[in-house]
Structures are given as structure tokens and as C-alpha cells.
Amino acid sequence: MKELTITIPIKAWGNDELNNNDASLIAKAREATSRAYVPYSKFHVGAAILLDNGEIITGANQENAAYPSGTCAERTACYYAHATYPDAAFDTIAIAATGTDGKEVEYPIPPCGACRQALVEYEKLAGHPVRVLLAGRDVVYELPSVKSLLPLTFDSF
Ligand SMILES: [Zn+2]
């Protein structure tokens, strides 16, 4: 028997330490939280994806009375991004959230398992790691890839 360990490198940045491009992408994700449709959870999530053609696509969570029919911000953004620019590779995704108190969450909210699985497939299509920026009120986590959020990824192709 051999024991394996998986480590996830995370850089924790202060908002004032971010470079302009990352700060701008996070600002778009924060802005997108205002377009969430969340009558049930009241939890607003926004995502912004930078594509290699320079376009930035945003998405926000969209809920439905039939709960499973709703979609997270990350999948709203990534499906729209690929449906709009099928030839563009994802470069970076930023995710932000506003809690039920109307304020940005103190600590970053990572994507759910379903979104990780969806995003990792677009990372594979990109052919290179897609950086992940998870925004909180006072700290931003930077992960080097979607796969770092989903080790031992299910992969059928
Ligand atoms: Zn999700």
C-alpha cells in the first residue's frame, strides 16, 4: 500500500495587491452578482470568464421554483461563453458572492461540484490551465487551474 497526498496551491491576495487585470475581472464578477435571480436562497453569485480573445463573459445564478432547474453563476457564464465564442479558450474565471445580508461574503465561495465538473471540461478544451480567482471581502484566492479544485477528475475523453 502506498499513500498519496494531493495538495492544492492557493495564493491569498489582499484586494489591494491584485494586478489591474485580475482586479478588473473580479470587479465584473462582483457586478454580476446584482443580476442574480435568487428569490429562494437570496444568495447572489457572479462569475466572470476572461477568454483568450479578450472578451469577458459574465453570469449570475438563476433560480427556479423547481429547484434543480436553476443554474449556478459559473455554469451560466461558461455555457454562455462557449455558446457565444466556441473557438475561444477560457483563460481565467473569477467568482464573487453576496450573502443574504446584502454584503460581499467575507471569505471566498468555491464553485459547487457540478460547476467544477463543467468548468474542468472547458479547461481541457482550452488545452492549458484556467486560473480561478475566488473573491471574498478582504481576500482573493488564486488557484492555478480548475483541476486543482477537482483532483481525480472524471474524464471520459
Ligand atoms: Zn455550481
Side-chain angles (χ1 to χ4, degrees):
M1 192 279 275
K2 178 163 87 166
E3 186 173 308
L4 306 173
T5 302
I6 296 170
T7 58
I8 303 171
I10 301 175
K11 292 178 185 168
W13 298 92
N15 282 294
D16 57 350
E17 296 177 307
L18 296 166
N19 68 45
N20 288 342
N21 288 343
D22 288 351
S24 168
L25 194 64
I26 289 166
K28 297 256 188 212
R30 286 175 170 146
E31 193 183 293
T33 63
S34 68
R35 296 188 291 278
Y37 173 66
V38 289
Y40 308 104
S41 73
K42 315 262 193 263
F43 193 78
H44 298 69
V45 182
I49 299 173
L50 172 63
L51 302 174
D52 70 354
N53 64 5
E55 294 288 337
I56 293 175
I57 301 296
T58 61
N61 50 333
Q62 305 294 311
E63 295 180 347
N64 188 276
Y67 291 175
S69 302
T71 306
C72 302
E74 299 90 329
R75 276 178 288 157
T76 302
C78 78
Y79 293 154
Y80 181 63
H82 197 257
T84 308
Y85 299 105
D87 299 325
F90 289 19
D91 180 86
T92 304
I93 180 168
I95 301 162
T98 302
T100 53
D101 61 0
K103 296 178 180 165
E104 181 168 21
V105 292
E106 186 172 357
Y107 295 101
I109 302 296
C112 77
C115 287
R116 294 177 197 208
Q117 185 66 43
L119 287 165
V120 83
E121 189 146 333
Y122 291 107
E123 181 172 75
K124 182 154 188 165
L125 284 172
H128 56 71
V130 173
R131 282 190 321 131
V132 180
L133 300 170
L134 304 175
R137 197 179 312 155
D138 299 319
V139 65
V140 172
Y141 293 161
E142 177 189 356
L143 293 99
S145 65
V146 176
K147 192 162 185 176
S148 65
L149 274 170
L150 191 64
L152 305 177
T153 305
F154 172 75
D155 184 355
S156 66
F157 63 99

